[in-house]
Amino acid sequence: MPRKLLVVLAFLPLVLAAVAFWNSGSDAGAQPNTTVNVGDFYFCDASFSGGVCDSNITAGDTVMWQWVGSASHTVTQCDSTFTTCPPVGGFDSGTMTSGTFSQTFNTPGSFEYRCNVHTTLMRGRINVAAQQATPTTTAGPTASAGATPSPAQASAPGHTTSPAPIVSAVPAAVPQTGGPTADGGTPWVLPLAASSVAVIMGGGTLAVRMRRR
């Protein structure tokens, strides 16, 4: 394989990478939220030729004007009467026959514009609304069960304090041993006494007999 061809093949990936990087840089920027057609001889669509095309956006949005006709046109900011175009600091695309022009609107309000080539046929207005603030919810303090109110809360009108529950102690059952029976007697005392008398009498009789012997 020729040496020159090898050199070309070696540098080809670098060239392609450089081209891709350049294209990505040229396309960088804010993405449009609203697209307005620039036609012959109107903004938005043909029904607005000689009138004013209104576009409604939110602060921070980007408007892109896209040339769809073949004639030369401009997108030039004006004052509210369409007489001073552009005012100091106003946007202006310059004369174009194709392509796009973008503008980001960060301030709420109305912004008039026209084509400086066709001043009475092509007019428009961008109405920018303020962004809506997202509401945030903050959780309030929660009272824990059984919490004791502060003196200020206790003395506040309409404040009632629930009494604490009263728990009565029930004495534990104590097992009983002995004691009177249901009929008031002592069933184990009488047999024990009778047995004792019998033992004593038997012992006395035995002693008497042994002495006689």
mmCIF file of all heavy atoms in Angstrom, residues 151-179:
data_model
loop_
_atom_site.group_PDB
_atom_site.id
_atom_site.type_symbol
_atom_site.label_atom_id
_atom_site.label_comp_id
_atom_site.label_asym_id
_atom_site.label_seq_id
_atom_site.Cartn_x
_atom_site.Cartn_y
_atom_site.Cartn_z
ATOM 1 N N PRO A 151 -47.733 27.624 80.244
ATOM 2 C CA PRO A 151 -48.642 28.531 80.987
ATOM 3 C C PRO A 151 -49.379 29.489 80.088
ATOM 4 O O PRO A 151 -50.542 29.789 80.320
ATOM 5 C CB PRO A 151 -47.680 29.265 81.942
ATOM 6 C CG PRO A 151 -46.522 28.330 82.105
ATOM 7 C CD PRO A 151 -46.380 27.609 80.795
ATOM 8 N N ALA A 152 -48.709 29.955 79.017
ATOM 9 C CA ALA A 152 -49.395 30.891 78.117
ATOM 10 C C ALA A 152 -50.539 30.196 77.395
ATOM 11 O O ALA A 152 -51.605 30.752 77.190
ATOM 12 C CB ALA A 152 -48.397 31.466 77.116
ATOM 13 N N GLN A 153 -50.305 28.919 76.996
ATOM 14 C CA GLN A 153 -51.375 28.190 76.313
ATOM 15 C C GLN A 153 -52.512 27.876 77.278
ATOM 16 O O GLN A 153 -53.681 27.915 76.917
ATOM 17 C CB GLN A 153 -50.807 26.898 75.723
ATOM 18 C CG GLN A 153 -49.830 27.120 74.586
ATOM 19 C CD GLN A 153 -49.217 25.822 74.120
ATOM 20 O OE1 GLN A 153 -49.150 24.855 74.873
ATOM 21 N NE2 GLN A 153 -48.770 25.812 72.885
ATOM 22 N N ALA A 154 -52.152 27.514 78.520
ATOM 23 C CA ALA A 154 -53.194 27.141 79.482
ATOM 24 C C ALA A 154 -54.084 28.315 79.824
ATOM 25 O O ALA A 154 -55.277 28.146 80.098
ATOM 26 C CB ALA A 154 -52.547 26.575 80.747
ATOM 27 N N SER A 155 -53.514 29.548 79.810
ATOM 28 C CA SER A 155 -54.304 30.724 80.164
ATOM 29 C C SER A 155 -55.001 31.345 78.976
ATOM 30 O O SER A 155 -55.716 32.320 79.124
ATOM 31 C CB SER A 155 -53.396 31.771 80.827
ATOM 32 O OG SER A 155 -52.374 32.160 79.914
ATOM 33 N N ALA A 156 -54.779 30.795 77.760
ATOM 34 C CA ALA A 156 -55.400 31.375 76.570
ATOM 35 C C ALA A 156 -56.890 31.122 76.602
ATOM 36 O O ALA A 156 -57.344 30.054 77.049
ATOM 37 C CB ALA A 156 -54.785 30.780 75.318
ATOM 38 N N PRO A 157 -57.700 32.084 76.109
ATOM 39 C CA PRO A 157 -59.168 31.883 76.090
ATOM 40 C C PRO A 157 -59.528 30.688 75.220
ATOM 41 O O PRO A 157 -58.980 30.493 74.147
ATOM 42 C CB PRO A 157 -59.697 33.206 75.506
ATOM 43 C CG PRO A 157 -58.574 34.186 75.672
ATOM 44 C CD PRO A 157 -57.319 33.407 75.622
ATOM 45 N N GLY A 158 -60.492 29.912 75.714
ATOM 46 C CA GLY A 158 -60.982 28.783 74.939
ATOM 47 C C GLY A 158 -60.123 27.543 75.068
ATOM 48 O O GLY A 158 -60.421 26.521 74.463
ATOM 49 N N HIS A 159 -59.041 27.633 75.854
ATOM 50 C CA HIS A 159 -58.165 26.467 75.993
ATOM 51 C C HIS A 159 -58.671 25.594 77.124
ATOM 52 O O HIS A 159 -58.938 26.070 78.226
ATOM 53 C CB HIS A 159 -56.731 26.904 76.272
ATOM 54 C CG HIS A 159 -55.801 25.730 76.451
ATOM 55 N ND1 HIS A 159 -55.274 25.051 75.388
ATOM 56 C CD2 HIS A 159 -55.332 25.131 77.571
ATOM 57 C CE1 HIS A 159 -54.506 24.085 75.838
ATOM 58 N NE2 HIS A 159 -54.531 24.118 77.170
ATOM 59 N N THR A 160 -58.856 24.345 76.871
ATOM 60 C CA THR A 160 -59.294 23.397 77.889
ATOM 61 C C THR A 160 -58.237 22.332 78.034
ATOM 62 O O THR A 160 -57.634 21.889 77.054
ATOM 63 C CB THR A 160 -60.635 22.744 77.517
ATOM 64 O OG1 THR A 160 -60.507 22.099 76.246
ATOM 65 C CG2 THR A 160 -61.741 23.788 77.431
ATOM 66 N N THR A 161 -58.042 21.910 79.268
ATOM 67 C CA THR A 161 -57.044 20.888 79.550
ATOM 68 C C THR A 161 -57.758 19.603 79.929
ATOM 69 O O THR A 161 -58.603 19.591 80.844
ATOM 70 C CB THR A 161 -56.125 21.328 80.700
ATOM 71 O OG1 THR A 161 -55.528 22.577 80.354
ATOM 72 C CG2 THR A 161 -55.048 20.296 80.964
ATOM 73 N N SER A 162 -57.479 18.551 79.234
ATOM 74 C CA SER A 162 -58.097 17.265 79.518
ATOM 75 C C SER A 162 -57.455 16.664 80.751
ATOM 76 O O SER A 162 -56.221 16.626 80.854
ATOM 77 C CB SER A 162 -57.928 16.318 78.325
ATOM 78 O OG SER A 162 -58.537 16.884 77.188
ATOM 79 N N PRO A 163 -58.274 16.214 81.742
ATOM 80 C CA PRO A 163 -57.678 15.616 82.956
ATOM 81 C C PRO A 163 -56.960 14.328 82.600
ATOM 82 O O PRO A 163 -57.348 13.601 81.703
ATOM 83 C CB PRO A 163 -58.894 15.371 83.856
ATOM 84 C CG PRO A 163 -60.045 15.255 82.901
ATOM 85 C CD PRO A 163 -59.732 16.175 81.770
ATOM 86 N N ALA A 164 -55.903 14.088 83.363
ATOM 87 C CA ALA A 164 -55.153 12.849 83.153
ATOM 88 C C ALA A 164 -55.975 11.675 83.647
ATOM 89 O O ALA A 164 -56.712 11.772 84.630
ATOM 90 C CB ALA A 164 -53.826 12.925 83.900
ATOM 91 N N PRO A 165 -55.927 10.556 82.974
ATOM 92 C CA PRO A 165 -56.701 9.385 83.410
ATOM 93 C C PRO A 165 -56.221 8.892 84.768
ATOM 94 O O PRO A 165 -55.024 8.887 85.051
ATOM 95 C CB PRO A 165 -56.424 8.353 82.313
ATOM 96 C CG PRO A 165 -55.151 8.791 81.699
ATOM 97 C CD PRO A 165 -55.130 10.279 81.800
ATOM 98 N N ILE A 166 -57.179 8.498 85.650
ATOM 99 C CA ILE A 166 -56.869 8.005 86.988
ATOM 100 C C ILE A 166 -56.942 6.488 86.957
ATOM 101 O O ILE A 166 -57.970 5.899 86.588
ATOM 102 C CB ILE A 166 -57.852 8.563 88.027
ATOM 103 C CG1 ILE A 166 -57.773 10.106 88.039
ATOM 104 C CG2 ILE A 166 -57.596 7.979 89.400
ATOM 105 C CD1 ILE A 166 -58.781 10.752 88.946
ATOM 106 N N VAL A 167 -55.856 5.880 87.335
ATOM 107 C CA VAL A 167 -55.799 4.414 87.353
ATOM 108 C C VAL A 167 -55.841 3.967 88.801
ATOM 109 O O VAL A 167 -54.966 4.329 89.603
ATOM 110 C CB VAL A 167 -54.506 3.905 86.673
ATOM 111 C CG1 VAL A 167 -54.455 2.394 86.698
ATOM 112 C CG2 VAL A 167 -54.446 4.417 85.252
ATOM 113 N N SER A 168 -56.878 3.233 89.186
ATOM 114 C CA SER A 168 -56.998 2.734 90.568
ATOM 115 C C SER A 168 -56.303 1.390 90.671
ATOM 116 O O SER A 168 -56.509 0.503 89.848
ATOM 117 C CB SER A 168 -58.472 2.601 90.952
ATOM 118 O OG SER A 168 -59.138 1.731 90.065
ATOM 119 N N ALA A 169 -55.473 1.264 91.702
ATOM 120 C CA ALA A 169 -54.725 0.018 91.894
ATOM 121 C C ALA A 169 -55.612 -1.013 92.554
ATOM 122 O O ALA A 169 -56.282 -0.748 93.543
ATOM 123 C CB ALA A 169 -53.485 0.281 92.757
ATOM 124 N N VAL A 170 -55.641 -2.192 92.010
ATOM 125 C CA VAL A 170 -56.418 -3.298 92.578
ATOM 126 C C VAL A 170 -55.463 -4.155 93.383
ATOM 127 O O VAL A 170 -54.460 -4.651 92.845
ATOM 128 C CB VAL A 170 -57.087 -4.150 91.485
ATOM 129 C CG1 VAL A 170 -57.855 -5.297 92.079
ATOM 130 C CG2 VAL A 170 -58.003 -3.253 90.661
ATOM 131 N N PRO A 171 -55.705 -4.328 94.709
ATOM 132 C CA PRO A 171 -54.778 -5.142 95.515
ATOM 133 C C PRO A 171 -54.744 -6.568 95.025
ATOM 134 O O PRO A 171 -55.748 -7.148 94.649
ATOM 135 C CB PRO A 171 -55.350 -5.039 96.936
ATOM 136 C CG PRO A 171 -56.795 -4.677 96.744
ATOM 137 C CD PRO A 171 -56.844 -3.842 95.507
ATOM 138 N N ALA A 172 -53.529 -7.092 95.001
ATOM 139 C CA ALA A 172 -53.363 -8.473 94.557
ATOM 140 C C ALA A 172 -53.951 -9.424 95.576
ATOM 141 O O ALA A 172 -53.917 -9.184 96.786
ATOM 142 C CB ALA A 172 -51.881 -8.775 94.352
ATOM 143 N N ALA A 173 -54.492 -10.508 95.090
ATOM 144 C CA ALA A 173 -55.091 -11.522 95.968
ATOM 145 C C ALA A 173 -54.002 -12.216 96.759
ATOM 146 O O ALA A 173 -52.996 -12.658 96.201
ATOM 147 C CB ALA A 173 -55.885 -12.530 95.151
ATOM 148 N N VAL A 174 -54.165 -12.271 98.083
ATOM 149 C CA VAL A 174 -53.195 -12.925 98.972
ATOM 150 C C VAL A 174 -53.745 -14.287 99.355
ATOM 151 O O VAL A 174 -54.863 -14.387 99.888
ATOM 152 C CB VAL A 174 -52.954 -12.087 100.244
ATOM 153 C CG1 VAL A 174 -51.963 -12.788 101.173
ATOM 154 C CG2 VAL A 174 -52.467 -10.707 99.859
ATOM 155 N N PRO A 175 -53.010 -15.346 99.070
ATOM 156 C CA PRO A 175 -53.526 -16.683 99.425
ATOM 157 C C PRO A 175 -53.626 -16.831 100.942
ATOM 158 O O PRO A 175 -52.751 -16.373 101.689
ATOM 159 C CB PRO A 175 -52.480 -17.636 98.840
ATOM 160 C CG PRO A 175 -51.250 -16.802 98.727
ATOM 161 C CD PRO A 175 -51.706 -15.412 98.440
ATOM 162 N N GLN A 176 -54.705 -17.436 101.403
ATOM 163 C CA GLN A 176 -54.955 -17.621 102.827
ATOM 164 C C GLN A 176 -54.772 -19.085 103.198
ATOM 165 O O GLN A 176 -55.199 -19.972 102.469
ATOM 166 C CB GLN A 176 -56.368 -17.174 103.196
ATOM 167 C CG GLN A 176 -56.614 -15.683 102.940
ATOM 168 C CD GLN A 176 -58.014 -15.282 103.313
ATOM 169 O OE1 GLN A 176 -58.817 -16.132 103.711
ATOM 170 N NE2 GLN A 176 -58.310 -13.990 103.193
ATOM 171 N N THR A 177 -54.153 -19.297 104.337
ATOM 172 C CA THR A 177 -53.996 -20.672 104.858
ATOM 173 C C THR A 177 -54.680 -20.744 106.205
ATOM 174 O O THR A 177 -54.509 -19.867 107.058
ATOM 175 C CB THR A 177 -52.517 -21.031 105.018
ATOM 176 O OG1 THR A 177 -51.901 -20.088 105.874
ATOM 177 C CG2 THR A 177 -51.797 -21.029 103.668
ATOM 178 N N GLY A 178 -55.419 -21.746 106.418
ATOM 179 C CA GLY A 178 -56.165 -21.883 107.672
ATOM 180 C C GLY A 178 -57.298 -20.918 107.738
ATOM 181 O O GLY A 178 -57.809 -20.467 106.730
ATOM 182 N N GLY A 179 -57.682 -20.575 108.970
ATOM 183 C CA GLY A 179 -58.763 -19.633 109.148
ATOM 184 C C GLY A 179 -60.075 -20.352 109.219
ATOM 185 O O GLY A 179 -60.181 -21.552 108.954
#
